[in-house]
Amino acid sequence: MNQDYIKPDNWSIIEEGFDVERVKSSESLFSIGNGAMGQRANFEETYTGPTFQGSYIAGVYYPDKTRVGWWKNGYPEYFAKVLNAPNWIGIDVEINGEKLNLHKCKTVSDFRRELNMKEGWYQRSFKAVLRNNTEILVRSTRFLSLDLDEVGAIKYEVTSLNKEAIVHFTPYLDAGITNEDTNWDDKFWDTYEVSHKGNAAYISSKTMKTEFHVCTGMLNQLFLDGKKQDVYPTVETNKTYASLKYEVKVEKGQTTELHKFGGYTVSLNHKQEDIASASAAVLKQASESGFEALLDLQKKAWSKIWEMADIVIDGDVKAQQGIRFNIFQLNQTYLGKDARLNIGPKGFTGEKYGGSTYWDTEAYCIPFYMATKNQNVARSLLQYRYNHLDKAIENAEKLGFTNGAALYPMVTMNGEECHNEWEITFEEIHRNGAMTFAIYNYLRYTGDYSYIPEMGLEVMIAIARFWHQRATFSTDKEKYVILGVTGPNEYENNINNNWYTNYLAKWCIEYCVENIEKVKSEYEIDYNRIIEKTKLGQEEINAMLKVAEKMYFPYSEKHQVYLQQDGFLDKELITVDNLDKSQRPINQKWSWDRILRSPYIKQADTLQGFYMFEDQFTKEELKRHFDFYEPFTVHESSLSPCVHSIQAATLDRMDQAYTFYLRTSRLDLDDYNKEVEEGLHITSMAGTWMSIVEGFGGLRVKNDRLSFTPKIPKEWKGYAFNVNFRNSILKVNVSQEGTTFNLEGEHELLIYVDGKEFTISPNSLMSV
Amino acid sequence: MNQDYIKPDNWSIIEEGFDVERVKSSESLFSIGNGAMGQRANFEETYTGPTFQGSYIAGVYYPDKTRVGWWKNGYPEYFAKVLNAPNWIGIDVEINGEKLNLHKCKTVSDFRRELNMKEGWYQRSFKAVLRNNTEILVRSTRFLSLDLDEVGAIKYEVTSLNKEAIVHFTPYLDAGITNEDTNWDDKFWDTYEVSHKGNAAYISSKTMKTEFHVCTGMLNQLFLDGKKQDVYPTVETNKTYASLKYEVKVEKGQTTELHKFGGYTVSLNHKQEDIASASAAVLKQASESGFEALLDLQKKAWSKIWEMADIVIDGDVKAQQGIRFNIFQLNQTYLGKDARLNIGPKGFTGEKYGGSTYWDTEAYCIPFYMATKNQNVARSLLQYRYNHLDKAIENAEKLGFTNGAALYPMVTMNGEECHNEWEITFEEIHRNGAMTFAIYNYLRYTGDYSYIPEMGLEVMIAIARFWHQRATFSTDKEKYVILGVTGPNEYENNINNNWYTNYLAKWCIEYCVENIEKVKSEYEIDYNRIIEKTKLGQEEINAMLKVAEKMYFPYSEKHQVYLQQDGFLDKELITVDNLDKSQRPINQKWSWDRILRSPYIKQADTLQGFYMFEDQFTKEELKRHFDFYEPFTVHESSLSPCVHSIQAATLDRMDQAYTFYLRTSRLDLDDYNKEVEEGLHITSMAGTWMSIVEGFGGLRVKNDRLSFTPKIPKEWKGYAFNVNFRNSILKVNVSQEGTTFNLEGEHELLIYVDGKEFTISPNSLMSV
C-alpha cells in the first residue's frame, strides 16, 4: 500500500533517484502554490516520459458543457472546471546541440527533489550523461512568491562536468494547452496577443465563455559564474507561444544560470486592458529585486505562517513530515486574502473534482484557518457563501422551492450548482446545514457576533426556509420526515430520514430562530433591513419551529442508537472485519447496488453529527454510537479517518486514534489510495490538523473559553501546536510527562484543562 | 392535448392538407414495416423542411460507446442502437428543370396521406405548382412486402396538369446516413462496394464493430401512360451513393410512373459474400412480378393477418381506427418468424430507446401474439430469452452474483445489458421475474408444456438463483428482504421491499421448484441434462424455498393494503386530483428528487402484481388496492392505462375502464404526449389489445379453459374479436344485447362465460 519513496525529514519532502514510474506522483507531491496560483512539479526542460502537466490560477475556471447519460430535470448545464493555465515555467535546454530530456539521457544520477516546506521553495537536481557524452549537473530552484503573488521565480543552473559546452536556454510561454478532463474536447482558451520586448515576453489569453483575461509573462536573466550576462535572445513566437533563446559557452566545471521570473496577471484583479502592462510591471519589480532577494522574502513569509500554523512532533519524523506537509499544502492553496476564492479539494495540484468548492470547506477547513490565522480569513470563507446566496436561492428554485429558500450547491465555482448526479446534486442536501454550522462554529470560536446581523442571518434564514419546505409531514408517523436524501455516507442514496440530515435540519431552524430573536433585540437596524429583504413573518417562523419540534429521528431501542436512516437495520450487518480483503475498496470492486444495500459506510455520517454537536450528547452515547457504526465504516473517503480519530481520542482509545491519525496524515505522501498522481487531497488535510489539535489535544471552545484534554500517543515523545484564540496566541506543548501552555499577548486567558479552570498569564509558561 | 388531424376512418389512417409542422409527426404515424425492415414515412423526393429520416433493418444494430456522467462499477460499455440504415426509397424528381421539393413549391394542394391498414400500403398524393409554373399531380404508393420480406416497392406517378413537361426521375441509394442519437458522432456504417447494372444498383455496407453486412439494392421500371419504357438511365455513383437518372417527356394530362423495387439483404440471412447476388435475385423476382401483382399478394397477406387479429368496434369510428392502428403496427413490427428478433419499443418508427428489447415483451406483448398467431410465435419470443441465458448469467456475474444466477438485461439487443443508470440497470430487477411469468403465461394459454423441459426450466432455475442470492435476511424483521430496488413505478428508486418485486421473487422460486419436481418425475432425460448442466442440488433448492417462505411483504393494517414499498406511508399522500394541472406531467415539470419523494406512481406497480396474479387475490382485495393506488397514479408511462383499464372493467367500472382505454388506444394518433414525431409506442399497443380482450371481454384462462366476462362500454354498439386458443379459433361478438361465440375448427370447446360453463360446437353460433 505504502509507496514509501519519500525520505523522512522534519521539514522537507525529499525524493532521491529518478524513476519514470514515479514522475506523475511526484509532480503532485512537489506541487507549489501561493494562494493565487499554483502548479504541479512538472520539469522545466523537455520531458517526453509520462507526465501530467498542470498550472492553475485561483478563481479562473471554465463552464464545461456537462456530460450525462440520462438527463434529469433540474440538472445544471455545465460543470465548472479548474483550468490548466498557460505554461510559464518551460525552459528548453540544449547542450552541445542536444536537447536535454531526462527520458532520453544515457544516464541520470543523483536525481533529487526537495520541497522545502519551512522556506517555501522546490528544488530539483541531477547529473546526466547526454547521448553526446556531455556530463552535466543541473539544479533548478523554484518558488511562487507569497509577497508578489502574481510572480514565480526559477533559478535554473547548468554545470558542465566533463567538457566545454555550448548551452542554449530557451525559456518560453505556452498558451496552447488543454485540460486532460474536458468533456467534449472543447477549446478553453482563446489567445489574442503574443508580444516580446528585450528579455521579456507576454501572452494574453481569455477563457472561452467566462472571459477571464490572463496575461502570462516571463522575464529572464542569464548568469555565468554568478555574473549577469548582457545577451540578447533570439525570439520565436506563434499564435499561442513565445520563446527567447539564449546562448552561453561554459568551460568544464563552469556553471551558467537562467533566472526566469514569470506568472499571471488576471482581469479578476486588473482592468482587462491593463493585464499586459501589469505583468510587465510586476515582473520588472521582481527581477530588479532578483531571485535571491525574492527568495529571502519568501523564507520570511513562510516563517511567519509557520509561527502560527506549525505543529511540532517529537520522536516521530514521519508523523512530523506528514503533518507539516498537510499544513504547508493548505497554506499553499488558500491564504484567505480574497473572499472570491475558496479551497478546492485538489488545490493547485490537479484537475479532478473541478477544483470547485464543496462542503468540505465549512465542515473540515474552517477550524484550521480560524486557529492558525487572523479571524478575517474564516470570515472571508463565510462571506464567500453569503456572496453566493442569490445563486443558492436560484438553485433551490430549480428544484421547486419557493419564498427565498436556498440550497447551496454540492460543487460550485460561482455559486451555481455544477454537479450532475441526482442522488448527490438533488439529494445530498445536508451540505446546506454545514453552511449554518460554519457560522455557529465561527461565532463560537471567534466571539465575533457582528457577522450574523451583517451577513450570516440572511444565509441562515434562507437555509431554515429550505428545511422547512423540504421536510414533509408523515401522517403515519405523526412527525416531520425528510425523504429521499443522501447523507455524508454517499454509499447510501435516496434514503429516508438520514439521522444526520434530520438533526441538522432541526438544529438549523432552531439556531436561526434563536438568532432572529437576538438580532431583533440587539441589532434593530439590521433586523429591519433583513426582514424587509426576506419578508419573514412570525407565521412562517412558527411553522418552521413546528417542523423542528416535530422532527422524526429513527432510533433503535434494541441497540440504543439513532439509526443512520430508516432502513439501516434491515441490512445484512456484517462488520468490515468480516469482509474479505479481496473485496476492498468496495467502491472499486462492487457494483453500485451492492454497495448501496450493504451496511458499509464511506465516511462518518451519524458520527459526523456527534462530532459537530458533541455537547448535545453524553460520552456514553458517543461510545455506543461509535461502537455501533465504526465497525461498518470502510473509510473510503479521505474525510473519514480524522473524525474517527478525534472521537477515538475522546473515548480514551489512543491506539485507535493514532491508527486513524496515521491514515489521514500521510494519505498522499504514502499514496494509500494509489491515485496521488491525480493530485493531492487538500481539504482532508485540514482534518489531519484537527486530529491532533482537537483529537489528541482535545481542544474545544466551551463557554467562550478554550478547553483542552491533552493526550499523547505512546509512539511520540511530545507534540506542540499553537492556536490563535480571540487575538491571544496560545502555545500548547504536550509530552508524555505533562502539558505546558504559553500565552502570547497582553491579557490573561482563562482556559479549561481536563475540565478544570486555569488562568494563564501572558508570556509565562504554565505546566499542567 | 389532442392534435386531432388524422381523419376518422375504419380502416385507414388519413391526413389531408399539407402542414410543415406536421411532417415529422406524420412520418411516424405513416411508418411502414414488414417485420424484417421498416421505415418512417419520409418523402421519396427531396424535402428541405424539418424531417426525421429513418430506415431500419430488424436485428441490425451498433454498439454505440456509452455516455455517462459518472461511471459506476458494473456499467456496460455500450448502448446498442437501432441503426438508421441506407436509404433505398429516395427518388429525386425534376420537372422542367426544377427539383420537386414540397418545401419550395408555389402552392401545394390536395395533399393527402393514407395508410391503408387493411391492405398494408401507404399512399401520398398532392397537387403542386412549381416555381416554374408547371402544375403537377403526384401520387406515390409504397409497401414493404410481407411475402418477399427483403423487398419494398414504390409506384411514383407524376401527371403534368397544365403543360408539356420534361420529367427526370433519379431514384437513388444513399448509404451516407447517420443516426440522430449518436453519443459521440461515431461513424456507424462502412460502405465498401457500389455497383450498378442496367436499371439496378447496389451498395454493400457493413456496420462498424458488429459487422452486419447489408446490401441495399434498387431496380427501377419507367412507365408512360401505363406502358413500360425501354430507356437507359444515366448513372452517378460515389463512395456511398448510387443513382440512375431517367428522362421522360409527358404531354399535358399525361402520367409517367416510376416503379422502384428496393430493400435489404443482410448477412443475418445470407452468406456475407452473397448479399449482393441475393439482392439482385430478389429484386429481379419482385420486378418480374411487377408492382401490381406484388401489391395483390400484400393485400392477401394482410387479409390473413386481419382474419385472426382484427377487433371490430361498432358505433365508434375513432375507437375502431385506434385499435386497428395498434394491431397493424404490432404486426408491422414483429411477425414471429425469427427467434433472433424481438419487439422494440419504437418498432421501425424511430431511434429512441435504442430499439432494443425490454420487459415490455414478456409483460405486455406475449398475450397479443399468443391469441392472434400460431403459438410458435410466442414460443419464439420465449426462446429469444433462452438463447440469451448465458449472457444473462454473465450480466449477473458483473454485479457479484455467482453459481449460474441470471439477471436479464433491462435493455438489450444481443443479451448483453445496454442501459446505464444505476437505479434502473442494477436495481429495476423485477424485469427478471417477467421472464418466468412469460413462461407460465405461455403454458397457461397454450398448454404446451414441452417448452419447460426443453428450455424454460433452465431459465427459471437461473432466475430463482438470482432471487435467492439477491434477498438478504433482516434480523430485525426475521424475514428475507429485498433492498435497493426500483419497481415498475420508476418514480421511486432504490427503495426497500417493493411489494411487486418481493412477490415476484417468491413466486419465481416456488414456480421454479414446482416445475423442477414435475420435470424430474415426467421428463427424466431432460431433468438429468438440466441438473448436470446447472449443478442444482437439493440443498440449494431448500435454501431457495426458505427465502420464498420467509419473504417479507410490507403491509398496512390501517389501509388493509400491501405497501408499494417500506416507506410509502411516510409520503405526503396527496392524490393526483389535488395536484395542480400546471405541475403535470411531473416528469417534465419536477426535479427528480421531488418526483421520488412524491407519492405519484408512473405506471401500475402493486397493481401490476394484481394484474399478473389476479387469481391469488379476491376481488375485494383488488378493489381496495385499486382504490388506494390508482388515485396516486399519473400514468406517465404508455404501459400504464391498459392495466388499469382491465382492472376497472373487472371491478365493473366501465366508465373508468373506457376512459383508460381511450387514453391508450389513440395515444399516438392523437399524440397525447406531444412526442409522436420521435416514433410510435409499439409495445404499449399490445396493452390496448389487452384492454379490449382481457378488459371488456374479460378473457382469462382458467383450468385450461377460456373464460369470459363480457362487458361493453355504453358508447359502443358492439365489438368483436377472435382468439386462437390451442388450435381452435373462437370469434367473440359482444353487443349491448348480449354476446355470441362462434367456433372454427373440428372440436367442441368448453368455455366459461360469467363463471358458467358452456360447450360450443364447431361452426355454430352460441348466444349468451
Side-chain angles (χ1 to χ4, degrees), chain A residues 67-70 72-74 79 183-184 353 398-401 419-423 426-427 469-477 481 483-484 492-497 558 565-567 569-573 586-597, chain B residues 67-70 72-74 79 183-184 353 398-401 419-423 426-427 469-477 481 483-484 492-497 558 565-567 569-573 586-597:
Chain A
R67 197 173 77 197
V68 298
W70 299 87
K72 308 271 195 224
N73 289 326
F79 190 93
N183 284 333
W184 303 96
Y353 305 121
K398 285 180 194 160
L399 305 190
F401 297 89
H419 197 79
N420 272 352
E421 276 179 301
W422 63 264
E423 64 273 20
F426 301 155
E427 297 205 340
Q469 294 176 36
R470 185 58 166 75
T472 52
F473 191 72
S474 162
T475 49
D476 198 50
K477 293 195 160 71
V481 292
L483 304 181
E492 296 188 312
N493 296 153
N494 196 44
I495 52 173
N496 296 330
N497 295 308
K558 180 176 165 195
Q565 46 103 354
D566 276 351
L569 287 186
D570 277 338
K571 296 188 165 198
E572 279 192 312
L573 297 173
I586 60 171
N587 70 11
Q588 287 171 28
K589 301 295 172 72
W590 287 4
S591 66
W592 195 244
D593 58 315
R594 194 171 177 190
I595 290 174
L596 292 180
R597 67 179 176 272
Chain B
R67 199 173 74 197
V68 298
W70 300 88
K72 307 271 195 223
N73 289 325
F79 190 93
N183 283 335
W184 303 97
Y353 305 124
K398 284 179 195 160
L399 305 189
F401 296 89
H419 197 79
N420 272 352
E421 276 180 302
W422 63 264
E423 65 273 20
F426 301 155
E427 297 205 340
Q469 293 176 36
R470 185 58 167 73
T472 51
F473 191 73
S474 161
T475 49
D476 198 51
K477 293 196 160 69
V481 292
L483 304 180
E492 295 188 312
N493 296 153
N494 195 45
I495 53 174
N496 296 330
N497 295 310
K558 180 176 167 196
Q565 46 103 352
D566 276 350
L569 286 188
D570 277 337
K571 296 186 164 199
E572 278 193 313
L573 297 173
I586 60 170
N587 70 11
Q588 286 171 28
K589 301 295 172 74
W590 287 4
S591 65
W592 196 242
D593 58 314
R594 193 170 178 191
I595 290 174
L596 292 180
R597 66 179 177 271

Side-chain angles (χ1 to χ4, degrees), chain A residues 232-419:
Chain A
Y232 284 91
T234 316
V235 180
E236 196 185 317
T237 63
N238 68 31
K239 251 183 65 183
T240 57
Y241 175 90
S243 69
L244 304 172
K245 190 170 185 173
Y246 296 89
E247 181 177 305
V248 57
K249 192 172 87 174
V250 294
E251 304 298 331
K252 176 178 166 183
Q254 218 177 10
T255 300
T256 179
E257 299 172 21
L258 185 84
H259 294 193
K260 180 176 186 182
F261 301 90
Y264 310 107
T265 47
V266 186
S267 58
L268 283 162
N269 305 313
H270 299 276
K271 282 190 202 154
Q272 180 184 313
E273 59 272 26
D274 295 344
I275 55 171
S277 58
S279 178
V282 75
L283 291 177
K284 182 160 177 278
Q285 184 188 349
S287 66
E288 285 176 358
S289 297
F291 184 90
E292 301 301 340
L294 213 56
L295 181 56
D296 278 346
L297 288 175
Q298 179 81 346
K299 293 175 185 175
K300 285 194 188 106
W302 273 102
S303 163
K304 198 147 176 252
I305 290 172
W306 285 114
E307 216 173 277
M308 261 318 298
D310 193 22
I311 292 183
V312 179
I313 295 174
D314 188 11
D316 186 342
V317 64
K318 291 184 82 171
Q320 175 68 80
Q321 188 180 38
I323 186 65
R324 283 192 173 133
F325 185 67
N326 289 305
I327 295 167
F328 181 71
Q329 291 296 349
L330 283 163
N331 277 286
Q332 291 209 117
T333 303
Y334 183 78
L335 290 159
K337 292 180 189 169
D338 186 341
R340 295 170 301 180
L341 304 182
N342 209 287
I343 308 150
K346 293 263 164 237
F348 299 115
T349 72
E351 298 172 0
K352 208 178 171 186
Y353 305 121
S356 312
T357 309
Y358 291 67
W359 69 291
D360 301 20
T361 295
E362 283 72 20
Y364 292 89
C365 299
I366 281 184
F368 169 79
Y369 285 103
M370 285 197 299
T372 67
K373 304 252 180 247
N374 182 297
Q375 70 187 42
N376 288 335
V377 172
R379 206 180 208 267
S380 272
L381 287 170
L382 299 187
Q383 195 184 335
Y384 176 91
R385 297 293 190 176
Y386 175 74
N387 293 341
H388 288 176
L389 178 57
D390 288 348
K391 298 271 189 198
I393 291 171
E394 278 174 33
N395 186 30
E397 283 169 353
K398 285 180 194 160
L399 305 190
F401 297 89
T402 57
N403 190 33
L407 175 59
Y408 277 90
M410 194 68 206
V411 180
T412 192
M413 268 293 192
N414 68 346
E416 290 176 280
E417 178 64 84
C418 286
H419 197 79

Side-chain angles (χ1 to χ4, degrees), chain B residues 333-401:
Chain B
T333 303
Y334 183 78
L335 291 159
K337 292 179 189 173
D338 187 340
R340 294 169 302 181
L341 304 181
N342 209 288
I343 308 149
K346 293 262 162 234
F348 299 115
T349 72
E351 297 172 1
K352 207 178 170 187
Y353 305 124
S356 311
T357 309
Y358 290 67
W359 70 290
D360 302 20
T361 295
E362 282 71 20
Y364 293 89
C365 298
I366 281 184
F368 168 78
Y369 286 102
M370 285 197 299
T372 67
K373 304 255 179 245
N374 181 298
Q375 70 186 41
N376 288 336
V377 172
R379 205 181 210 266
S380 272
L381 287 171
L382 299 186
Q383 196 185 334
Y384 176 91
R385 297 293 191 177
Y386 176 73
N387 293 340
H388 287 176
L389 178 57
D390 288 347
K391 299 270 190 198
I393 291 172
E394 278 173 33
N395 186 29
E397 283 168 354
K398 284 179 195 160
L399 305 189
F401 296 89

Side-chain angles (χ1 to χ4, degrees), chain B residues 408-475:
Chain B
Y408 277 90
M410 194 68 206
V411 181
T412 193
M413 268 291 191
N414 68 346
E416 291 175 281
E417 178 62 85
C418 286
H419 197 79
N420 272 352
E421 276 180 302
W422 63 264
E423 65 273 20
I424 304 292
T425 310
F426 301 155
E427 297 205 340
E428 200 174 338
I429 54 177
H430 69 79
R431 63 188 185 252
N432 226 20
M435 308 301 139
T436 300
F437 179 79
I439 297 170
Y440 159 79
N441 204 14
Y442 171 79
L443 171 63
R444 175 170 66 173
Y445 193 88
T446 65
D448 169 27
Y449 195 80
S450 73
Y451 180 71
I452 291 183
E454 280 174 37
M455 301 178 188
L457 188 56
E458 283 178 57
V459 170
M460 288 195 278
I461 288 170
I463 288 170
R465 281 175 153 162
F466 172 83
W467 292 121
H468 171 205
Q469 293 176 36
R470 185 58 167 73
T472 51
F473 191 73
S474 161
T475 49

Side-chain angles (χ1 to χ4, degrees), chain A residues 615-633:
Chain A
D615 287 351
Q616 303 181 22
F617 304 97
T618 65
K619 208 161 170 176
E620 184 51 37
E621 284 175 309
L622 172 62
K623 181 175 173 301
R624 219 156 48 223
H625 286 78
F626 190 89
D627 288 344
F628 186 77
Y629 286 111
E630 198 288 322
F632 298 113
T633 308

Side-chain angles (χ1 to χ4, degrees), chain B residues 192-207:
Chain B
Y192 57 88
E193 197 182 329
V194 177
S195 65
H196 62 93
K197 189 179 172 188
N199 292 301
Y202 310 94
I203 297 185
S204 295
S205 320
K206 64 174 184 183
T207 57

